[in-house]
Amino acid sequence: QVHLVESGGGLVQPGGSLRLSCAASGFTLDYYDIGWFRQAPGKDREGVSCISSSDGSTYYASSVKGRFTISRDNAKNTVNMQMTSPKPGNTVVYYCAARPWGITSVQAMCVNWRPSEYNHWGQGTQITVSS
């Protein structure tokens, strides 16, 4: 069976750090473009960070640029996102998603995307930033 599983969520204090992991089973992430998305209550899901499978290029939403880092760990078949100084607010659910390698730019993967373009979605991991 094919699965994506996110982990690493929880409660984090403002100014703290957290690392989310997206682990794949049943397929190899090497050949997939990966995106991290988040959804706050009552809001649309938005792209946070994406990484291309072809050249490893990355994209970050302006709200997280400089604070979040996406990376691949091919040996573990995972994609991680290191989050530094997440901003306090509502509890947010972070999702990872995978789409087969293609010619779409890494920015388009995160900005001009449709859920159907991503073959696999994880179940989400919840993050609460609070002191």
Side-chain angles (χ1 to χ4, degrees), residues 46-83:
E46 63 174 349
V48 178
S49 181
C50 292
I51 186 166
S52 167
S53 65
S54 59
D55 60 3
S57 57
T58 58
Y59 170 85
Y60 299 93
S62 58
S63 58
V64 306
K65 197 169 186 178
R67 298 186 295 113
F68 290 12
T69 302
I70 189 172
S71 61
R72 291 181 179 269
D73 186 340
N74 292 337
K76 295 183 179 180
N77 206 26
T78 62
V79 172
N80 302 312
M81 185 167 70
Q82 183 71 37
M83 306 167 63

Side-chain angles (χ1 to χ4, degrees), residues 6-69:
E6 302 96 337
S7 61
L11 177 65
V12 60
Q13 294 185 339
S17 62
L18 207 62
R19 189 178 81 161
L20 301 185
S21 291
C22 174
S25 61
F27 69 108
T28 303
L29 286 180
D30 296 24
Y31 307 109
Y32 284 78
D33 301 323
I34 305 298
W36 280 100
F37 301 83
R38 65 186 177 190
Q39 189 165 19
K43 294 191 176 182
D44 292 336
R45 193 170 297 186
E46 63 174 349
V48 178
S49 181
C50 292
I51 186 166
S52 167
S53 65
S54 59
D55 60 3
S57 57
T58 58
Y59 170 85
Y60 299 93
S62 58
S63 58
V64 306
K65 197 169 186 178
R67 298 186 295 113
F68 290 12
T69 302

Side-chain angles (χ1 to χ4, degrees), residues 99-122:
R99 53 185 287 170
W101 171 83
I103 61 173
T104 304
S105 73
V106 69
Q107 178 172 333
M109 293 177 206
C110 264
V111 178
N112 307 113
W113 62 280
R114 295 190 299 271
S116 59
E117 294 171 345
Y118 285 86
N119 295 47
H120 310 295
W121 286 85

